[in-house]
């Protein structure tokens, strides 16, 4: 049973994380490490390794794009930004999130 | 004093301590295995890039060598492969939630550990070697004392006074891989392979190296040389026989065809004659050719033991074909080679 709860939770988190990444990149491009920083602040992610598969998946789905930027220290870094498709998806996800939020809100308030 | 290596992490060069390198390369291998399923080479490159970035950040101004503590820190930042895909450790609010999560983790860990315990893999031990580490590997696999297995093997060899035990030993030597890397050693002992256990294993190995210089294996080395020599001699002998058999076979075919064209024999009689001789001689050919190929492969493997799995599979397949051919040949009334064998 416990493993099942864990599975549901990780599924929820996965979908949620992708939405959050799109939100962070909305209107402003960022390095992976900046995105990481924001997610860590929000306590959504603990290990950095989680982020890279997500970014690649979003990029392959055509929602993100990146360009290489030279860094003063260390190797060149990927500078991620939203594509038009990503912006459309973000708007859709925002609606979906709102609906979900309202649904849960409705159920919890009715219960009381 | 420590030995250092030079590594290139996505275009940036680092000097790295040997122990730190081992830990990092094991970690990268784990990641590679983890992401191999999803075929995400890009993720690996990104992670490598990030690791280089972190090393750069963490490098104190007075140092220019990556040490094991830095690697450990970077691994804890990046996370183990099993933490990566379902992000178990994130988002923990409230104590009951925390408790549930911990419970789930413990149950999962215990379950997977129990599963791993059952799945011990058979390897040859490199740290307890008399000939090639087959006995010590078998002992570890079966969970009994090495001495028991060795005494059993010795007694069996002496009592049977036949070649069975040495032959089985040789076959195992060929087929069972050596446990060289830390993860293989963990698999051999049936422990879970993760970053923590690999680190533990590395430390244990380091202690072993300090403790004693193992003198074992010189018998193995001697035998190896002897085996290669024998292999070459037998290989040459069998090669000669092989030529004989092939020419004999060709001669038979040519003879059959020419006599057919000359009209001295009728087609039906020819087919009947050929049919009875054709299959056994083909089987004999297989029985002779297969050991040659096997010996060549074996010598190659002994000279460079790291050419992994397919050699093993090929050898297994060859063994199967050879035994099959031998059995059928025996059925056809045989070949002096078969009945002349020592068993």
């Amino acid at each position: 049973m416990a493993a099942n709860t864990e599975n549901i939770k990780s599924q929820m988190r996965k979908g949620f994380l992708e939405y959050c990444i799109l939100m962070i990149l909305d209107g402003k491009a960022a390095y992976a490490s900046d995105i990481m920083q924001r997610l860590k602040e929000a306590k959504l992610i603990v290990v950095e390794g989680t982020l890279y598969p997500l970014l690649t998946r979003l990029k392959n789905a055509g929602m993100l794009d990146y360009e290489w930027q030279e860094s003063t220290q260390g190797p060149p870094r990927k500078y991620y930004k939203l594509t038009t498709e990503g912006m459309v998806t973000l708007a859709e996800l925002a609606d979906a999130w709102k609906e979900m939020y309202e649904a849960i809100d409705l159920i919890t308030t009715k219960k009381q | 004093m420590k030995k250092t290596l030079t590594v290139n992490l996505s275009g940036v060069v680092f000097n790295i301590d040997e122990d730190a390198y081992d830990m990092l390369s094991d970690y990268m291998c784990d990641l590679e295995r983890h992401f191999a399923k999803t075929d995400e080479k890009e993720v690996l490159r990104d992670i490598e890039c990030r690791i280089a970035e972190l090393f750069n950040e963490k490098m104190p101004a007075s140092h220019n060598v990556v040490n094991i503590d830095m690697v450990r820190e970077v691994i804890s930042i990046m996370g183990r492969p099993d933490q990566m895909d379902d992000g178990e450790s994130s988002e923990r609010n409230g104590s009951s939630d925390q408790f549930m999560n911990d419970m789930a983790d413990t149950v999962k860990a215990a379950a997977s550990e129990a599963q791993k315990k059952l799945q011990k893999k058979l390897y040859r031990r490199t740290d307890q070697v008399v000939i090639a580490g087959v006995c010590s590997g078998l002992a570890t696999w079966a969970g009994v004392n090495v001495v028991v297995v060795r005494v059993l093997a010795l007694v069996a060899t002496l009592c049977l006074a036949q070649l069975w035990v040495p032959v089985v030993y040789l076959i195992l030597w060929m087929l069972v891989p050596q446990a060289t890397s830390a993860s293989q050693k963990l698999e051999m002992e049936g422990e879970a392979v993760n970053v923590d256990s690999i680190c533990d294993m590395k430390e244990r190995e380091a202690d072993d190296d300090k403790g004693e210089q193992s003198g074992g294996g010189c018998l193995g080395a001697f035998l190896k040389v002897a085996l290669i020599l024998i292999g070459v001699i037998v290989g040459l002998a069998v090669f000669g026989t092989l030529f004989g058999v092939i020419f004999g076979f060709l001669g038979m075919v040519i003879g059959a065809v020419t006599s057919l064209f000359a009209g001295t024999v009728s087609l039906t009689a020819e087919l009947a004659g050929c049919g009875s001789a054709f299959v056994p001689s083909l089987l004999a050919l297989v029985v002779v050719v297969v050991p040659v190929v096997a010996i060549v492969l074996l010598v190659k493997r002994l000279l460079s033991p790291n050419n992994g799995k397919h050699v093993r599979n090929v050898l297994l397949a060859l063994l199967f074909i050879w035994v099959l051919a031998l059995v059928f040949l025996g059925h056809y009334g045989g070949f002096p080679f078969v009945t002349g064998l020592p068993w």
Side-chain angles (χ1 to χ4, degrees):
Chain A
M1 276 299 126
N4 196 21
T5 348
E6 196 57 24
N7 189 24
I8 297 172
K9 274 158 71 176
S10 81
Q11 293 290 332
M12 279 165 77
R13 217 176 284 133
K14 247 183 224 166
F16 193 59
L17 262 176
E18 291 183 13
Y19 176 41
C20 287
I21 291 170
L22 294 180
M23 273 200 289
I24 290 168
L25 289 172
D26 187 24
K28 134 176 177 297
Y31 296 115
S33 49
D34 298 335
I35 304 171
M36 191 65 226
Q37 199 54 42
R38 297 280 300 276
L39 291 174
K40 266 187 178 167
E41 274 165 18
K43 295 199 171 108
L44 276 172
I45 270 186
V46 171
V47 295
E48 298 206 358
T50 320
L51 182 63
Y52 296 95
L54 278 174
L55 285 175
T56 307
R57 205 182 314 148
L58 287 172
K59 192 216 68 183
N60 289 342
M63 292 180 219
L64 298 184
D65 201 6
Y66 65 81
E67 50 194 62
W68 289 100
Q69 292 240 332
E70 291 297 318
S71 156
T72 45
Q73 37 166 335
R77 302 192 284 178
K78 283 177 179 175
Y79 199 53
Y80 286 94
K81 61 169 189 281
L82 278 190
T83 58
T84 342
E85 205 184 326
M87 285 174 203
V88 175
T89 316
L90 178 60
E92 274 172 29
L93 283 179
D95 285 344
W97 172 246
K98 213 176 139 209
E99 275 168 28
M100 248 188 282
Y101 181 80
E102 279 167 4
I104 289 181
D105 198 41
L106 194 73
I107 287 168
T108 41
T109 45
K110 258 201 179 156
K111 233 184 182 176
Q112 280 163 5
Chain B
M1 194 180 75
K2 271 183 177 172
K3 205 165 127 190
T4 62
L5 301 154
T6 313
V7 291
N8 171 353
L9 290 175
S10 55
V12 185
V13 174
F14 291 96
N15 289 316
I16 181 164
D17 282 338
E18 202 177 14
D19 49 355
Y21 170 78
D22 287 341
M23 189 189 276
L24 185 64
S25 81
D26 274 337
Y27 177 64
M28 295 303 272
C29 283
D30 280 348
L31 286 182
E32 214 164 301
R33 216 177 304 151
H34 183 75
F35 288 116
K37 287 171 266 167
T38 47
D39 194 31
E40 290 179 279
K41 278 262 180 307
E42 194 173 359
V43 177
L44 278 175
R45 276 202 300 271
D46 285 351
I47 289 175
E48 194 179 309
C49 233
R50 179 64 182 153
I51 289 173
E53 219 173 85
L54 285 170
F55 280 156
N56 245 329
E57 274 172 30
K58 312 239 171 266
M59 192 84 80
S62 54
H63 289 65
N64 50 9
V65 177
V66 175
N67 59 34
I68 198 157
D69 290 328
M70 286 165 71
V71 173
R72 217 170 264 158
E73 200 183 336
V74 164
I75 290 176
S76 77
I77 291 174
M78 299 305 295
R80 283 179 272 118
D82 56 328
Q83 291 178 307
M84 282 185 183
D85 51 6
D86 51 3
E88 312 185 320
S89 45
S90 46
E91 203 181 22
R92 288 185 176 177
N93 314 314
S95 56
S96 69
D97 206 20
Q98 170 90 53
F99 177 72
M100 283 297 287
N101 269 338
D102 285 351
M103 282 292 285
D105 285 353
T106 326
V107 170
K108 226 196 243 175
S112 68
E113 202 163 301
Q115 209 179 6
K116 285 273 169 57
K117 279 270 180 231
L118 293 175
Q119 297 173 334
K120 270 189 188 181
K121 275 192 171 175
L122 183 58
Y123 282 105
R124 288 185 286 122
R125 281 195 87 112
T126 45
D127 51 345
Q128 297 174 6
V129 178
V130 172
I131 299 173
V134 171
C135 286
S136 50
L138 278 173
T140 312
W141 184 67
V144 292
N145 197 315
V146 198
V147 181
V148 176
V149 180
R150 284 189 183 142
V151 167
L152 269 178
L154 204 65
V155 168
T157 315
L158 294 177
C159 286
L160 292 176
Q162 276 180 338
L163 284 175
W164 275 112
V165 178
V167 165
V168 169
Y169 192 97
L170 278 180
I171 290 173
L172 286 175
W173 187 355
M174 276 188 264
L175 299 184
V176 178
Q178 231 174 353
T180 40
S181 77
S183 48
Q184 285 174 330
K185 282 177 189 167
L186 286 165
E187 280 175 352
M188 176 175 76
E189 282 167 20
E191 285 174 32
V193 180
N194 54 40
V195 173
D196 293 338
S197 59
I198 285 176
C199 292
D200 283 352
M201 181 53 81
K202 290 268 171 220
E203 273 158 26
R204 248 192 289 166
E205 277 170 17
D207 286 349
D208 284 352
D209 281 353
K210 263 180 253 160
E212 53 186 281
Q213 214 58 274
S214 67
C218 51
L219 185 56
F222 175 74
L223 259 178
K224 206 173 183 173
V225 174
L227 208 68
I228 289 172
L229 277 176
I230 293 171
V232 170
I233 292 164
V234 172
L236 283 174
V238 176
F239 216 62
T241 322
L242 180 66
F243 265 101
V245 172
I246 288 177
F247 279 114
F249 193 69
L250 275 179
M252 198 182 77
V253 173
I254 292 170
V257 171
T258 44
S259 59
L260 192 66
F261 274 107
T264 48
V265 193
S266 74
L267 184 65
T268 44
E270 178 68 24
L271 279 179
C274 266
S276 60
F278 185 76
V279 178
S281 48
L282 194 69
L283 286 172
L285 195 69
V286 170
V287 169
V288 177
V289 172
V290 166
V292 177
V293 178
I295 285 165
V296 169
L297 280 175
L298 174 62
V299 170
K300 217 182 121 202
R301 189 181 160 99
L302 283 178
L303 291 174
S304 57
N306 287 333
N307 48 2
K309 273 195 174 156
H310 32 274
V311 174
R312 230 174 91 206
N313 294 337
V314 170
L315 280 172
L316 265 177
L318 285 178
L319 191 70
F320 181 72
I321 293 171
W322 191 66
V323 169
L324 214 65
L326 213 62
V327 168
F328 277 108
L329 200 61
H331 173 74
Y332 271 104
F335 194 50
F337 181 65
V338 184
T339 41
L341 280 180
W343 57 75

